Amino acid sequence: MYSSILLIYCEKQTGWYTNVNNLYSMRIVFFGTPALCLHYLEMLHSEHDLAAVVCNPDQPVGRKQILTPPPTALWAKSHSIDCLQPARLKGFDAELAHYDADIYVVIAYGKIIPESIINQPRLGTLNVHYSLLPRWRGACPVESTILHGDDLGGVCIQQMRYELDTGPILAQQTIALNGDEYARDLRDGVMGDIGIELLRQSLTQAESGTLEPVEQSDMGITSCFRIRKSDGELLDSDDDITRWRKYRAYYPWPGVFTFDNTEKRIKITQADYQDGKFIIQKYIREGESEVIL
């Protein structure tokens, strides 16, 4: 009690301690790599004891192939939090054990996590997944939701199991879709906001022992796989609504494209959908400048 009063006093006088609640919150190791994880990290850092960040190794980026840390590695460094970037997770259990975490949190990490790591912390591992499981288990649920014209999307918190996205659901919220959403905007906007709140609630329940896991249905299971650059090609067999969905799903990466009669790639940089027609507004032919129609 005395130490808590002293810390509160020091915070008011010097500002060096900003979150007394961290004295009583859970110790967490976070697994995640891209920029969409940053808002989650801010929440975990402010409300819990964020012990370490695990992300993919630095990757060559751009035409000059400059070795670049992922966004979560840069965030961890800027907040003086341990950052671990293993090339492989085999045998990584021992290093993680040093952190003695209560729970692991996984969002868009980019590697298959071994069962021994999933089950290592006393409260297991939670995963934020951007679909209504069991629909769109796998690597690109938001893109798949758009590509298939789903009327509903959503966010789930699942208790992770080794088999991909099969864990029991701990929390879920549905999002109505109107057919004009872009995958990037959903991830960076409403899905991120919902995911943070659902994760916050799930961590509170995990800490108090009041989680109520619900097993996924055996019905309506669909899977999605890692996106390849070639997936953005607009095929002759695609109708206009399919082209519009591809454009919204794959903007800005990998983008959508086609080929002219000389086999030069034409990248569609801006498009719209009006009166049932996919309308190209801007494009770039390989080796040339952008054209505005």
Side-chain angles (χ1 to χ4, degrees), residues 26-186:
M26 286 192 294
R27 190 165 173 80
I28 295 172
V29 171
F30 180 88
F31 292 71
T33 299
L36 69 88
C37 299
L38 300 185
H39 292 308
Y40 290 92
L41 285 170
E42 292 288 350
M43 183 273 285
L44 294 173
H45 182 46
S46 66
E47 299 179 17
H48 294 276
D49 178 10
L50 183 60
V53 173
V54 183
C55 60
N56 281 343
D58 297 357
Q59 297 292 325
V61 174
R63 291 184 178 181
K64 294 185 178 180
Q65 294 291 278
I66 298 173
L67 201 62
T68 305
T72 50
L74 294 172
W75 184 93
K77 182 178 180 180
S78 71
H79 289 76
S80 300
I81 291 174
D82 286 358
C83 181
L84 312 174
Q85 296 178 263
R88 300 177 62 196
L89 292 177
K90 185 177 181 180
F92 192 54
D93 313 45
E95 187 167 355
L96 286 171
H98 291 305
Y99 292 97
D100 192 26
D102 297 306
I103 198 165
Y104 295 161
V105 172
V106 178
I107 304 168
Y109 172 51
K111 283 187 173 67
I112 295 175
I113 300 176
E115 189 171 17
S116 59
I117 291 178
I118 290 172
N119 297 329
Q120 189 173 37
R122 67 180 182 88
L123 295 174
T125 300
L126 303 190
N127 169 240
V128 182
H129 187 80
Y130 286 175
S131 81
L132 298 174
L133 291 169
R135 187 160 178 80
W136 304 129
R137 293 174 175 173
C140 59
V142 183
E143 289 83 357
S144 296
T145 296
I146 290 175
L147 287 170
H148 289 79
D150 291 359
D151 294 326
L152 297 176
V155 181
C156 288
I157 309 295
Q158 62 170 322
Q159 186 87 42
M160 278 191 73
R161 290 176 178 162
Y162 180 64
E163 189 176 355
L164 184 64
D165 294 332
T166 60
I169 303 302
L170 306 175
Q172 175 178 284
Q173 186 168 329
T174 298
I175 302 168
L177 303 176
N178 60 27
D180 289 326
E181 297 86 358
Y182 288 69
R184 182 184 66 176
D185 295 340
L186 282 174

